[in-house]
C-alpha cells in the first residue's frame, strides 16, 4: 500500500515537472516572439524612415518622390490591423521606384545619394530576415500550443494565439544589385 502511494506520488511529481518544463518552454517562446516582433518593427520603421528621407531629399524625380513618400508615410502611420497591407504597399512602391537600374544610378550620382542608396538597400535587405525570425518563432509557439497537454492544462495562460506577420517584402532587385 505504501509503495503504491509512493509510486503514484513520484508519477505525479514527474508529470508536474514535465508540465512545468513545457509551460516554461512556452513562456520562452512567447518572449522570443515579443523580441522578434520588436526587431521586426524596428526594421520596418527604419525602412520607412529611410524611404521617406530619400523621398524628401530631392534626388528622385517628383513623381517617384510622391509615390515613395506617401507609401512610407502610410506604413509609418498604419494601425496595427492595417500594418501588413501598408508595409506591402511600401515594398511595391520601392520596387516601382527602384525597379530600374538607371534610377538607382541617378540616385547614387546625386550629392549624398550614395549613402542614401546604401542605407535603403541595407534596410530593405534586413526586413525579410527580421520577418523570417518572427514567423519562425510564431510557428514554433503555434506547434507547441496545438498539443493536447498545453490546451488541457491551459499552459499558455491568457496569452493570445501568436499571429505571423505576412507581407510582401521582396526588395527591389536593382537597388540590391547596385548596393552589393
Amino acid at each position: 500500500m505504501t509503495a503504491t502511494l509512493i509510486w503514484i506520488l513520484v508519477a505525479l511529481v514527474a508529470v508536474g515537472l514535465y508540465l512545468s518544463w513545457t509551460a516554461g518552454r512556452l513562456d520562452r517562446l512567447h518572449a522570443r516572439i515579443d523580441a522578434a516582433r520588436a526587431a521586426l518593427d524596428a526594421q520596418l520603421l527604419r525602412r520607412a524612415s529611410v524611404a521617406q528621407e530619400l523621398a524628401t531629399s530631392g534626388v528622385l524625380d517628383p513623381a517617384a518622390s510622391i509615390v515613395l513618400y506617401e507609401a512610407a508615410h502610410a506604413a509609418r502611420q498604419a494601425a496595427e490591423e492595417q500594418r501588413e497591407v501598408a508595409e506591402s504597399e511600401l515594398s511595391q512602391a520601392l520596387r516601382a521606384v527602384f525597379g530600374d537600374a538607371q534610377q538607382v544610378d541617378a540616385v547614387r550620382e546625386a550629392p549624398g545619394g550614395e549613402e542614401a542608396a546604401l542605407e535603403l538597400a541595407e534596410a530593405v535587405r534586413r526586413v525579410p530576415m527580421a520577418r523570417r525570425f518572427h514567423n519562425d518563432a510564431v510557428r514554433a509557439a503555434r506547434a507547441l500550443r496545438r498539443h493536447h497537454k498545453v490546451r488541457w492544462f491551459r499552459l499558455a495562460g491568457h496569452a493570445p494565439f501568436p499571429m505571423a506577420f505576412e507581407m510582401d517584402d521582396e526588395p527591389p532587385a536593382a537597388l540590391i544589385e547596385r548596393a552589393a
Side-chain angles (χ1 to χ4, degrees), residues 97-129:
V97 171
F98 295 106
D100 185 16
Q102 293 172 347
Q103 178 73 12
V104 176
D105 290 339
V107 168
R108 292 179 73 186
E109 290 169 3
E114 180 74 30
E115 294 81 22
L118 288 174
E119 190 175 359
L120 183 61
E122 190 62 31
V124 299
R125 192 179 297 135
R126 288 182 179 183
V127 167
M129 288 187 293

Side-chain angles (χ1 to χ4, degrees), residues 26 72 74:
L26 190 57

